[in-house]
Amino acid sequence: MKARQRVPAPEVTETDWAGTVARAAAEDVRELLRAERRRRRGRWFAGGLVVLAVGAVTTLLFRTTLFDPVSGTPSQDDVTAPAQTNQAAMFDTGRPFGATPAADWPDGVAGIVPPEPKPVGAFSPEQVAEATQLVRDVLVASRLDRRMLVNHDPTAYLDLLAPDAHQQLQPLFGNGREPEVQSLVSLVAPGSTLLPVEPKVSGSMSVRQGGPGELVVHTNYVFAYAFEPPARLRLVDAMNAIVVVRADVDYILRVGDRWRPTSLGLWFDQAEGFGYSIGCDAYQKGLLAPVTTERSVTQQPDDVEPGAYFDPTSPLPPSGGCRH
């Protein structure tokens, strides 16, 4: 039985803390926030072997909204069976990505390569190079640094953002509000352990002129994380211990006199993406865990090839459901 549901994303409301920040801001920032509330939205999906749950993402002052999973009857074939021998040959903890499309991807930070710096609008090649290097550092801090992944410490990430952006995101960590920031960072669920290998990374970034004093850096990456398999379980597929995260996020560097001093620097903007082969319960808490944390799993939609989840250029899944 397949669980699949198309749910339109509802309008989302501002958070209380965001209203406080907006009221305290100068007029130029208030106007900026009003304009971006009118014209920017995002989407975030989790899907594949375990879950496709549709939600709105954190985009400036917007909250993420997760929909309830679609109920279904577990299949006996979906449950990971106890091992009678050693781990299945398809999965090698020393080379966990070997049987997946990510096998030959670069390891960790080597997979994040800024584009050749060229002039963009009013921005010089030197400014473009500085911006893309900053975004590269942001991606490392948010998706690869184990201080964020394992310890859930956002300090290194937040310190790279403009002070006002830092202030907006900081309340979302450490108090159960992680689903509101899952479009921007990767957080491993307690009880799940990453293998001692670097995540695999594939994708690209591009640069374009935004509004006055804005340089937009679009990032489009897929991150694959390998988890330690539970003891005495036979893994019938390498994907039982791997989680794939696709993240398409715009970052904006703001410079010039039109911005108040605390708004100068790097901001997050529109974000969309999905998680594939990911535990439902963890995902709905804004966290990452492999399918072996679930008692049952669902197959990916018939109209999406599994390899497409590893392709950063593939269309995002339109909708889905979660079964437990």
Side-chain angles (χ1 to χ4, degrees):
M1 180 175 179
K2 294 199 176 164
R4 186 179 176 92
Q5 182 183 41
R6 179 181 290 273
V7 186
E11 289 296 318
V12 291
T13 59
E14 295 183 11
T15 57
D16 293 337
W17 59 265
T20 301
V21 171
R23 287 192 296 271
E27 183 57 32
D28 59 344
V29 175
R30 291 199 295 271
E31 178 56 33
L32 166 67
L33 297 178
R34 285 195 292 269
E36 288 177 330
R37 282 198 295 269
R38 289 193 296 268
R39 65 188 175 89
R40 289 178 178 145
R41 292 294 187 274
R43 57 178 175 166
W44 189 255
F45 306 92
L49 296 176
V50 174
V51 50
L52 270 168
V54 182
V57 303
T58 302
T59 321
L60 292 178
L61 301 182
F62 297 108
R63 297 184 59 180
T64 298
T65 301
L66 294 177
F67 293 91
D68 291 334
V70 179
S71 61
T73 303
S75 165
Q76 289 300 315
D77 294 336
D78 291 334
V79 182
T80 306
Q84 311 219 343
T85 57
N86 292 328
Q87 302 281 348
M90 290 184 65
F91 187 75
D92 177 0
T93 56
R95 194 171 179 265
F97 301 103
T100 75
D104 296 324
W105 290 3
D107 293 328
V109 67
I112 305 175
V113 181
E116 188 71 23
K118 299 178 180 179
V120 177
F123 290 84
S124 69
E126 292 75 21
Q127 289 175 305
V128 170
E130 182 180 352
T132 54
Q133 181 60 51
L134 178 59
V135 171
R136 180 176 183 263
D137 293 343
V138 161
L139 293 178
V140 171
S142 61
R143 301 289 183 182
L144 302 176
D145 192 328
R146 296 207 173 201
R147 287 175 293 180
M148 174 72 82
L149 278 169
V150 177
N151 300 333
H152 300 181
D153 178 2
T155 303
Y157 169 64
L158 296 177
D159 285 350
L160 294 169
L161 303 178
D164 287 342
H166 182 297
Q167 184 178 0
Q168 288 183 19
L169 290 184
Q170 190 167 31
L172 302 182
F173 292 91
N175 58 4
R177 298 178 66 182
E178 285 78 11
E180 299 177 47
V181 76
Q182 69 184 156
S183 61
L184 300 175
V185 305
S186 295
L187 303 167
V188 171
S192 295
T193 303
L194 290 171
L195 285 171
V197 297
E198 287 291 322
K200 292 287 189 177
V201 182
S202 178
S204 63
M205 70 173 72
S206 59
V207 184
R208 69 178 187 273
Q209 176 75 49
E214 292 185 333
L215 183 69
V216 181
V217 181
H218 175 68
T219 66
N220 174 20
Y221 286 91
V222 177
F223 302 87
Y225 303 94
F227 285 82
E228 186 175 298
R232 299 183 59 78
L233 287 184
R234 177 178 178 270
L235 300 179
V236 297
D237 190 317
M239 292 307 299
N240 287 354
I242 292 173
V243 171
V244 176
V245 172
R246 162 85 173 270
D248 293 12
V249 182
D250 285 346
Y251 282 95
I252 301 180
L253 180 68
R254 290 178 172 140
V255 301
D257 296 337
R258 79 177 301 242
W259 312 108
R260 60 184 295 199
T262 53
S263 289
L264 294 173
L266 197 66
W267 284 78
F268 51 94
D269 194 59
Q270 182 169 325
E272 55 187 2
F274 59 75
Y276 171 62
S277 188
I278 186 172
C280 286
D281 291 343
Y283 171 76
Q284 291 173 348
K285 297 174 184 176
L287 307 173
L288 305 181
V291 302
T292 50
T293 62
E294 302 291 321
R295 292 187 61 82
S296 63
V297 300
T298 63
Q299 297 298 320
Q300 71 275 359
D302 291 335
D303 57 351
V304 180
E305 290 293 328
Y309 293 108
F310 288 82
D311 182 0
T313 66
S314 66
L316 293 170
S319 62
C322 175
R323 185 175 77 191
H324 65 181

